[in-house]
Amino acid sequence: MSRTVRGACVALASLLYLAPCRAQTRPPAEPPTPHAIPMPDTLGANFSIADSATGKATVNDFDFLVGRWRFRFQQQQTDGTWNPPFTGQWTARRNAADSGLIVDHWRADRPNASEESGTWTYRAFDRQRQQWVMMGVGTGNGGRWEPGLVWSDGENRYAVQRYGSDIVRIRYFAITPTHFLWRADESSDGGRTWRPDHWTMEAFRLAQ
């Protein structure tokens, strides 16, 4: 056997011998991100958006939100996996001339993000309808307005809001003076089917 052929055989044998070793040394797949927001169940916001036609609210239903909050927020993908949670600040103030008008600013902690980035929501109490009418607009959505209606049952706050062609149903619950939970289901077929807990959030009060 020539030296060239012998060398090729040795090289081939080495590759065949090392191939299983290379397969065994591949790094293990990263574990999926767990859901980090403490929800009592996996049912989502879990209410009928038809309730928006009959649900009632009071002018004081968003007193709890006025002030400054720190939040943790997490999004669930359509395949059921979770994005890593992130933090941010949420501030709300009542219009001094009208107790039925509240403006709030929701902003994630992002590197190099400006103080004015995030989502601004305007909430006005419709005394005739006895519901809160809200309109959100974000710095990242091209100036698109996101309309919604809000009502309550004394303990929870319920909202139905449109995000482009999608509908989101939202529940604020476990509300105390210093803490509350928030969850949102998403529908892309007009409310026929829902993805429970597409968004979840936990908020802690920083200041009044």
Side-chain angles (χ1 to χ4, degrees), residues 18-73:
L18 292 174
C21 297
R22 290 196 185 98
Q24 292 173 5
T25 57
R26 290 176 183 171
E30 292 187 6
T33 300
H35 185 207
I37 312 299
M39 294 289 142
D41 52 54
T42 58
L43 300 177
N46 194 30
F47 65 87
S48 172
I49 61 173
D51 294 346
S52 62
T54 57
K56 301 299 181 184
T58 75
V59 71
N60 302 118
D61 280 340
F62 278 99
D63 288 355
F64 80 92
L65 188 61
V66 174
R68 186 160 61 93
W69 301 81
R70 185 158 190 80
F71 65 77
R72 288 192 305 157
F73 183 96

Side-chain angles (χ1 to χ4, degrees), residues 74-148:
Q74 194 169 21
Q75 178 174 333
Q76 184 177 191
Q77 297 297 323
T78 55
D79 63 1
T81 60
W82 291 91
N83 290 346
F86 62 84
T87 61
Q89 294 198 35
W90 195 356
T91 58
R93 61 178 177 82
R94 189 184 298 279
N95 185 286
D98 185 352
S99 61
L101 178 61
I102 292 176
V103 180
D104 68 76
H105 179 208
W106 186 98
R107 180 174 64 86
D109 294 330
R110 301 291 193 195
N112 304 318
S114 72
E115 289 292 325
E116 300 304 311
S117 64
T119 299
W120 295 85
T121 302
Y122 301 85
R123 306 167 191 267
F125 184 66
D126 185 329
R127 287 174 169 79
Q128 181 174 0
R129 187 185 294 178
Q130 293 188 322
Q131 287 185 336
W132 286 87
V133 179
M134 68 177 178
M135 191 71 72
V137 62
T139 55
N141 67 359
R144 182 187 69 211
W145 288 98
E146 297 160 345

Side-chain angles (χ1 to χ4, degrees), residues 49 162 165-167 186-195:
I49 61 173
R162 288 194 172 272
S165 60
D166 291 344
I167 301 175
E186 184 182 41
S187 174
S188 56
D189 59 9
R192 289 187 293 275
T193 60
W194 294 92
R195 291 183 290 276

